[in-house]
Amino acid sequence: MEEGKRMRKQGFLLWWFGMTMQLCFFFLLLGGASSSETTSLSRRGIRGSKSLQAPPSSDFKVKLNDESQEQLVVDNGIVSLTLSIPEGYVLAISYNGIENVLEPQNEDQDRGYFDVVWNEPGKASSFQRIHGTNFSVITADENMVELSFLRAWTASMEGSSVPMNIDIRYILRRGDSGFYSYAVFDRPDDGFPAVEVDQIRFVYKLLKDRFTYMAVSDTRQRMMPTMRDRETGQILAYPEAVLLTKPTNPQFRGEVDDKYQYSCENSDNNVHGWISLQYDQPVGFWMITPSNEFRNGGPIKQDLTSHVGPFTLSMFVSTHYAGKEVTMSFQQGEAYKKVFGPVFIYLNSASTTPHDPLSLWSDAMNQLSKEVKAWPYNFTQSPDYFPPDQRGTVLGRLLVQDWCVKGGRLQYANNAYVGLALSGDAGSWQKESKGYQFWTLADPKGYFAIKNVVPGDYNLYAWVPGFIGDYRYNSTITITPGGVIKLDKLIYNPPRNGPTLWEIGIPDRRAAEFYVPDPYPTLMNRLYNEKHSDKFRQYGLWERYSDMYPNDDLVYTVGVNEYKKDWFYAHVTRNMGNKTYAATTWQIIFEHSNDIIEGNYTLQLALASAADAELQVRFNEPSVYPAHFGTGPIGGDNAIARHGIHGLHRLYSIDVPSHHFVKGNNIIYLRQSRAVNQFQGVMYDYIRLERPPNPTT
C-alpha cells in the first residue's frame, strides 16, 4: 500500500512539472469529474484544438530496407514499419522519436498481427494467427511501398489451418502519418474443404505502460486501467469482466473493466484508439475504418474496438452480438474471394506548448473525414480491390404506407436504413457475412444514394425506425462498373393486420427506451454514470431484476404503467441462490372495453435480442400447455452479458383467435422458460396488439 502511494506521488510530480495549467485542469477533471463534465471538457478540446505537431516534410521519399533475410523496414520519414519475413508480423512501429509504439516485451508474433477463428463443420473452433509463407514487394518507389505476405493453403494443411488463401498487405505512402493494411481471402474452385469462419481481424498491442487514455467516441473516452490491474483483480461472472481490487492507480479501485463495455455498432465503429501522455509530446494511435462494406452483419451489428491491454482491433468479421447464425459457412469446393479493408493505422502527436492531448482525438476525427472522402482508394495494387471507376451507384426514394397510420397516406421514410447485400429473404442481411454490404441513411424525404458499390448481384433491403418489419425490393439489382441505377419510387408496407389497440416501446430494434436500472455501486464503470446515454453498458444489470422482483414477476398494466419506468430492459431469469435460476413470467394487463370482435387479433412481438431463450406466449390462461405460441429455442447473441442492448432482431406476428380474449380485463403472459444461468433471456424491441381488420356486428 505504501509503495503504491509513493508511485502515485511520483506520477503526480511528473505531470505537474511537465504540463501547463490546461493539462493540469484536464487531469484533475479525469480524476474526479462526472462523465458529463469529462465529456464537456472533451468537446471543448475538440473545438479549440490548435496544438497538433506538424508532421515532417512530405519531401521525404519512401524507403524500403530489406537487407535482412528475417525482417524489413519501410520508412517515409514520419512513420517506419518493421515487419518479419516472410510471416508479415508487425514487429515495430516507430513514430516521432519513439522507437516502437508496440509492446517490445511481447513475442514477435504477438505485437501486430492478423488472425482468424475457424472450425471444420461439427468441430470446435480454433484460433489461428495467419503468417505468410511467401513474401513479395508489390510496388516500391519514392511515393509508395506495398508489401504482400501470402499464406497459400495446401492439402497437407487440412485440419490444421483454415482452408483459405490469405494475402496480407501493408502500404506506406509518402507524407502519410500512418500506414494501410488489408487482406484478400481467396478460395479457388478446386476442392477446398468445408469450413466455418467466425472471426477475422487485425490486432495491435501497444506499449502497456505508455498508452493510458482510450477514446471510442466523443462521449466514450477516459483514462484506463492496465492489464496488470486486471491480472490482480477479481474475475466476475465471465473472464472478460474483472473487478479491479488492487489497481496501481487508486482511482480505479472498485470499478469493473470489461472489453465489451466499449463495443460499438458497425456504423459508428470508424475511429478508436489510444493516447499516450507519457512522452514530451502526447502521442495518439488510431484505427480508422473509412468503409463498412467488408464487415459482416450490416450497419447496426456490434463489435469490439479498443480495450485494456492496451489493444486496438480492426474487426472485419465476428459472431459477437449475433452467435453462430452469422458465421461464414463454406461448402466443400465452394469458391470465394473478398477484400477486407484497407484500414488506416494513424499516428499523431501534440506540440510541446500548450499540451492538449484531447486535440489528438479531434485530429483523428478529421483524418477519418479525409479517409472517407478518399474512399474507395485509388492506390491499392491488388487486382481484387475495386477502385472508384469500377464501382456503381443506386439512387432511389423510399416511402412508407401503413394503412392504419395517417389514414394510409404515403409517408417519407425518414432516416431509413437502405442497403445492398447478397440475395436473400427480407432481413437476411443481418445474418449475412460472406459478401459485401453497402448501406446509407435516407434523407428526411426518403431519398437515398448508395455509392461506390462493388460490381455484382444484390438485393436492396431497408428498415425504417418507427415501423416494424423489413423491406426487400422484389428484383435483383446488378451493379456494373461505372453504372448508375435509378429506381422508381419504392413503397414499404410494414406488417399490419388491424388497428392498434395498444403498444409498448418504440420499434427501433433496440431496448434502450425501457427501464435500465442503476448498477451496483460496487460494480460500476464510472464512465457510464446515470447521465450517460449508454448506461446499459454497466456490468451486472441483469441481476437487478431479482432485486426488484424477488418473488413475483413484472406486471405491466396498459394505460397505467410507463414503459420507460416500468418495463425492465431485459426479460431474464431469477437468481434463486446457490447458482440456481428460475424461469420468469411477465404479465401484460389490458382492458378490452368494447365487445370482442370475431376473427383474429394480432400480437406483433419484436425482439431486440435473444440468448439461449424460449419465449412462450399465453392469453388469459397462464397454465395452458402447450402455450398458445412459442418461439422454440432461439438466440445466441449474448447481448445481455455483453451489455449490448440489442443483438439479432426477430419479429413474430402472432394470430390470436378472438375467443382467447374477453370484454373487460385480459392478461397476456410472456414466459421465458429456459433457466440454467443468469444470461438467458430476451430483450423486447416493441409489442403491439391489433384488433381484427373487419369488425362485424
Side-chain angles (χ1 to χ4, degrees):
M1 178 68 73
E2 290 301 316
E3 178 63 20
K5 291 181 178 179
R6 284 195 296 271
M7 291 176 64
R8 188 185 182 202
K9 182 177 180 181
Q10 292 171 359
F12 269 99
L13 289 174
L14 288 174
W15 287 110
W16 281 99
F17 283 111
M19 295 186 175
T20 64
M21 289 300 293
Q22 181 182 1
L23 186 55
C24 293
F25 182 57
F26 162 80
F27 184 80
L28 289 171
L29 277 176
L30 284 175
S34 68
S35 67
S36 60
E37 293 170 325
T38 304
T39 299
S40 177
L41 175 63
S42 173
R43 289 173 176 164
R44 289 198 296 273
I46 289 172
R47 289 197 298 266
S49 60
K50 296 182 179 180
S51 58
L52 290 184
Q53 177 74 6
S57 171
S58 60
D59 291 339
F60 193 98
K61 300 177 181 179
V62 183
K63 296 180 180 180
L64 175 63
N65 179 358
D66 59 352
E67 295 177 358
S68 169
Q69 295 183 350
E70 296 182 352
Q71 64 183 40
L72 61 83
V73 178
V74 57
D75 186 358
N76 69 356
I78 305 171
V79 174
S80 72
L81 196 61
T82 304
L83 300 115
S84 65
I85 301 175
E87 298 87 0
Y89 296 132
V90 183
L91 305 179
I93 302 171
S94 301
Y95 171 75
N96 203 40
I98 305 170
E99 183 176 354
N100 192 1
V101 301
L102 303 181
E103 180 51 65
Q105 294 184 14
N106 289 4
E107 297 292 332
D108 288 356
Q109 73 275 13
D110 195 34
R111 301 178 190 176
Y113 57 88
F114 184 81
D115 70 44
V116 173
V117 174
W118 66 281
N119 63 273
E120 296 177 313
K123 296 185 179 181
S125 296
S126 299
F127 168 87
Q128 182 182 359
R129 285 185 178 87
I130 302 301
H131 59 270
T133 55
N134 182 19
F135 162 70
S136 60
V137 178
I138 302 301
T139 187
D141 57 35
E142 62 185 30
N143 294 313
M144 187 180 85
V145 169
E146 179 164 346
L147 308 172
S148 167
F149 301 87
L150 175 65
R151 196 298 307 266
W153 188 86
T154 64
S156 64
M157 300 177 181
E158 186 166 358
S160 62
S161 185
V162 56
M164 191 84 63
N165 296 331
I166 301 176
D167 187 4
I168 303 171
R169 300 285 187 99
Y170 294 97
I171 299 172
L172 185 62
R173 301 192 309 162
R174 188 172 185 168
D176 282 349
S177 187
F179 61 94
Y180 297 87
S181 60
Y182 65 105
V184 182
F185 276 44
D186 180 28
R187 277 174 57 98
D189 186 12
D190 60 356
F192 275 42
V195 66
E196 295 176 355
V197 178
D198 290 345
Q199 178 175 281
I200 303 171
R201 66 179 187 174
F202 278 109
V203 180
Y204 293 94
K205 298 185 176 181
L206 308 181
L207 286 164
K208 59 186 177 183
D209 294 327
R210 295 288 185 173
F211 288 88
T212 54
Y213 187 88
M214 192 180 82
V216 175
S217 73
D218 286 345
T219 59
R220 299 171 68 193
Q221 47 182 273
R222 61 168 293 179
M223 297 292 289
M224 294 290 287
T226 66
M227 183 61 77
R228 187 179 303 111
D229 295 337
R230 286 180 55 87
E231 292 168 350
T232 60
Q234 174 188 342
I235 295 177
L236 297 173
Y238 46 88
E240 293 87 351
V242 173
L243 177 63
L244 306 177
T245 57
K246 300 176 182 178
T248 53
N249 187 336
Q251 81 176 59
F252 299 122
R253 182 175 292 115
E255 286 203 59
V256 171
D257 178 73
D258 183 347
K259 66 182 181 181
Y260 292 107
Q261 292 178 320
Y262 303 100
S263 295
C264 194
E265 292 182 352
N266 282 343
S267 59
D268 298 322
N269 190 352
N270 40 40
V271 57
H272 58 88
W274 291 84
I275 295 174
S276 171
L277 303 172
Q278 308 299 316
Y279 298 102
D280 291 339
Q281 297 174 351
V283 170
F285 182 98
W286 309 101
M287 179 62 67
I288 294 180
T289 307
S291 171
N292 285 308
E293 66 185 47
F294 38 76
R295 285 174 166 158
N296 73 319
I300 63 171
K301 183 190 179 297
Q302 298 178 91
D303 225 320
L304 298 173
T305 56
S306 293
H307 59 85
V308 165
F311 301 154
T312 290
L313 311 176
S314 175
M315 303 295 300
F316 296 136
V317 170
S318 84
T319 56
H320 296 143
Y321 301 95
K324 280 294 246 182
E325 291 180 78
V326 302
T327 193
M328 298 171 66
S329 180
F330 297 95
Q331 302 301 314
Q332 173 83 22
E334 181 179 350
Y336 180 74
K337 184 174 288 186
K338 184 177 179 181
V339 178
F340 294 94
V343 294
F344 186 49
I345 294 81
Y346 179 62
L347 294 97
N348 58 3
S349 59
S351 64
T352 54
T353 55
H355 280 297
D356 187 9
L358 290 178
S359 67
L360 299 180
W361 168 253
S362 174
D363 178 62
M365 291 293 292
N366 290 336
Q367 187 64 39
L368 168 65
S369 297
K370 296 177 183 178
E371 300 299 325
V372 170
K373 290 179 182 178
W375 185 271
Y377 299 134
N378 60 8
F379 53 82
T380 52
Q381 297 299 300
S382 170
D384 299 311
Y385 179 81
F386 291 86
D389 61 355
Q390 294 184 26
R391 298 184 177 221
T393 300
V394 177
L395 306 174
R397 189 186 194 189
L398 182 65
L399 302 173
V400 181
Q401 186 176 41
D402 184 331
W403 63 271
C404 282
V405 178
K406 296 185 178 181
R409 296 192 302 273
L410 291 174
Q411 303 175 66
Y412 301 137
N414 182 20
N415 283 326
Y417 288 77
V418 187
L420 298 174
L422 291 185
S423 298
D425 297 330
S428 61
W429 53 267
Q430 67 172 340
K431 299 180 182 180
E432 212 292 300
S433 298
K434 289 183 182 179
Y436 297 98
Q437 295 201 31
F438 302 87
W439 288 85
T440 190
L441 288 177
D443 72 11
K445 292 190 176 181
Y447 289 101
F448 63 86
I450 307 174
K451 301 178 180 180
N452 299 316
V453 182
V454 169
D457 292 335
Y458 300 90
N459 277 152
L460 185 140
Y461 303 94
W463 66 275
V464 187
F467 296 90
I468 62 174
D470 279 276
Y471 172 82
R472 185 181 77 102
Y473 185 58
N474 57 11
S475 298
T476 298
I477 292 179
T478 299
I479 302 296
T480 57
V484 177
I485 296 177
K486 297 180 180 180
L487 298 175
D488 294 333
K489 180 172 61 180
L490 309 178
I491 298 176
Y492 173 48
N493 301 112
R496 168 74 72 173
N497 290 325
T500 300
L501 291 179
W502 50 260
E503 59 186 349
I504 299 172
I506 301 170
D508 61 359
R509 304 188 177 227
R510 298 170 174 88
E513 71 268 30
F514 298 124
Y515 177 71
V516 178
D518 292 332
Y520 292 104
T522 56
L523 295 173
M524 290 184 64
N525 181 324
R526 295 190 182 97
L527 174 63
Y528 302 114
N529 69 10
E530 60 183 11
K531 297 180 181 179
H532 201 287
S533 60
D534 284 4
K535 179 183 175 183
F536 59 82
R537 297 190 187 278
Q538 295 280 14
Y539 174 85
L541 299 181
W542 53 85
E543 295 286 3
R544 298 311 303 260
Y545 179 81
S546 297
D547 298 336
M548 296 175 62
Y549 303 95
N551 300 308
D552 299 319
D553 287 317
L554 183 149
V555 177
Y556 185 94
T557 301
V558 175
V560 175
N561 294 113
E562 299 179 31
Y563 64 77
K564 293 181 179 180
K565 299 179 181 179
D566 303 314
W567 189 274
F568 200 74
Y569 81 103
H571 190 163
V572 293
T573 56
R574 175 179 289 105
N575 188 342
M576 304 299 291
N578 297 320
K579 297 183 178 181
T580 60
Y581 301 87
T584 52
T585 303
W586 291 11
Q587 298 179 41
I588 301 174
I589 300 176
F590 69 96
E591 182 177 0
H592 197 301
S593 56
N594 299 319
D595 291 336
I596 298 300
I597 302 170
E598 292 185 3
N600 283 337
Y601 288 69
T602 303
L603 183 69
Q604 303 285 7
L605 181 64
L607 300 182
S609 168
D612 191 19
E614 183 171 356
L615 189 63
Q616 300 171 352
V617 185
R618 295 174 170 87
F619 305 98
N620 284 325
E621 298 180 77
S623 302
V624 65
Y625 185 84
H628 295 124
F629 174 81
T631 62
I634 54 172
D637 60 42
N638 216 16
I640 294 171
R642 291 175 173 171
H643 334 289
I645 213 62
H646 73 87
L648 290 181
H649 184 262
R650 290 172 168 82
L651 175 64
Y652 301 94
S653 295
I654 306 169
D655 290 335
V656 187
S658 57
H659 67 263
H660 287 306
F661 292 138
V662 298
K663 183 178 182 180
N665 280 338
N666 293 266
I667 302 177
I668 297 176
Y669 298 91
L670 304 174
R671 180 174 178 81
Q672 200 297 100
S673 62
R674 298 171 71 88
V676 176
N677 60 59
Q678 67 269 49
F679 302 126
Q680 292 172 285
V682 300
M683 296 184 195
Y684 297 97
D685 167 35
Y686 175 74
I687 304 174
R688 181 174 77 210
L689 184 64
E690 302 168 357
R691 67 167 174 78
N694 298 311
T696 57
T697 57

